Amino acid sequence: MTTPVNVTVTGAAGQIGYALLFRIASGQMLGATTPVRLSLLEIPQGVKAAEGVALELEDGAFPLLAGIDIYDDAKAAFEGANVALLVGARPRTAGMERGDLLAANGGIFKPQGEAINAGAAADIRVLVVGNPANTNALIAASHAPDVPTERFTAMTRLDHNRAVSQVARKTGAEVATIARVTIWGNHSATQYPDLSHATVGGDAALAVIADQAWVEDDFIPTVAKRGAAIIAARGASSAASAANAAIDHVHSWVHGTPEGDWTSAGIVSDGSYGVPAGLISSFPVTSDGGAWSIVQGLSVDDFSRGRIDASVAELEEERTAVRELGLI
Ligand code: NAX
């Protein structure tokens, strides 16, 4: 057996963790020939439930699962990690102000960034799922000065997948024929799902759809507010679809994106498309199997410009807020 890849998952006893871990163990994230060793990080109150999940993982008899360790200490959980999925976060509760939410998450993502810096493997790749994902990724990255910021990413793949699926529904085309959809900005209701460069069966998606009112009044709000629709219908937030998107994100990062297509991910801005450098914003991205690259040279019309700027302004506000809180 080749050396297992060390995968650390935080919030392992939560609902996304429950949907995610079995798929990692089965090889769907890193590939059918790559053994994995799982490190599960929980808060002390979550450890017992994580132990239960570990029992079930054992019961899967996954040939690729080389071991499971459970921790309530970040330093130990990230020791030697090659891939880290930061799922556990502090949710917004009734009456909580944004500053309180950011401060509570700073208390999670600052020490986790420090622990990654201290002990993760040299090739560490981090995906932040826990919300506010972009800014949590920024906090973690800023406390890991020895890890290239490009290794810290935030998940907008669920938004991307939702957008692709909505186009498939609208056009009747198969999902696999839809390409070049983009999510810009923040993983929040201000995100901009963009079809300007998307294609359906190789044709311009906007021409195939031929219904700008649908794009603006139906498609964009449906994608941006899908999380709320799931909560309203299911009585709980997206879990299996979020886990699926995390699997997709890491799979694309590690195995590369298909020729001629791209995906969406929150990665550190280099100033492309007028997004201030240093923000972790969603972009159209490709991967060569090693690193993400922002797709360059796309035209941005006035409508798109306004939407991108609005979401990026929210990211800047969050960055200012966490700066003022001393979290970055
Ligand atoms: P749950 O509340 O079911 O699980 C979260 C788990 O994290 C709990 O078991 C908790 O004990 C644990 N936890 C809390 N603080 C921790 C810490 N410091 N270290 C380790 N574990 C810790 O939430 P779940 O539904 O799994 O969602 C997890 C996060 O994903 C939330 O922040 C949620 O908002 C976010 N999401 C992000 C999405 C995205 O597209 N980026 C979509 C889905 C989801 O809403």
Side-chain angles (χ1 to χ4, degrees), residues 10-17 41-43 46 87-91 108 112 128-131 133 155-156 158-159 162 187 237-239 242:
T10 77
Q15 53 156 3
I16 295 176
L41 177 65
E42 260 295 343
I43 53 175
V87 180
R90 176 69 199 274
I108 295 173
Q112 291 185 359
V128 177
V129 175
N131 283 319
M155 192 168 90
T156 55
L158 178 54
D159 310 296
R162 287 167 170 164
H187 169 69
S237 57
S238 326

Side-chain angles (χ1 to χ4, degrees), residues 4 26 31 41 115 118 171 187 190 207 232-233 235 238 240 244-245 255-256 274 278 298-299 301 314 325:
S26 74
L41 177 65
T171 59
H187 169 69
T190 68
S238 326
N244 179 63
H255 296 280
L298 300 177
S299 58
D301 64 15
E314 184 183 51
L325 288 163

Side-chain angles (χ1 to χ4, degrees), residues 60-87:
F62 294 105
L64 293 171
L65 185 55
I68 311 170
D69 292 296
I70 300 168
Y71 302 98
D72 63 5
D73 171 59
K75 282 256 169 357
F78 290 111
E79 187 62 40
N82 305 106
V83 176
L85 302 173
L86 309 190
V87 180

